[in-house]
Amino acid sequence: RRVDPLGPDRDLIRPHYSPDGTRVVLSRRQDGALLLDARTGDLLAPPLRPRAENAAFSPDGRYLATAGY
């Protein structure tokens, strides 16, 4: 499913790309982090909750960490 990363309230914080550039996590205050296919924009997993202020992939791209408050 393709998503509008900004949504109606435009609460995107910042994109975080996987090391190989194939995936991107968009941190959003409203509904957590969104894991997307970087090329197509398709949602790859349900939103990662709770709210995510920051996200980072491990160097090999196998793991994703998010942080928020």
Side-chain angles (χ1 to χ4, degrees):
R1 167 183 128 207
R2 185 166 292 168
V3 298
D4 175 4
L6 297 179
D9 53 0
R10 308 274 189 226
D11 67 343
L12 178 67
I13 297 172
R14 69 180 60 90
H16 307 276
Y17 288 89
S18 62
D20 64 4
T22 62
R23 293 165 291 152
V24 61
V25 173
L26 301 178
S27 299
R28 291 175 50 153
R29 290 185 191 100
Q30 170 185 317
D31 56 2
L34 302 176
L35 179 61
L36 306 173
D37 180 293
R39 188 177 56 81
T40 66
D42 290 340
L43 189 63
L44 298 176
L48 305 170
R49 307 216 188 255
R51 298 184 310 183
E53 297 290 325
N54 209 339
F57 284 94
S58 62
D60 63 5
R62 291 182 54 188
Y63 299 100
L64 174 65
T66 61
Y69 63 93

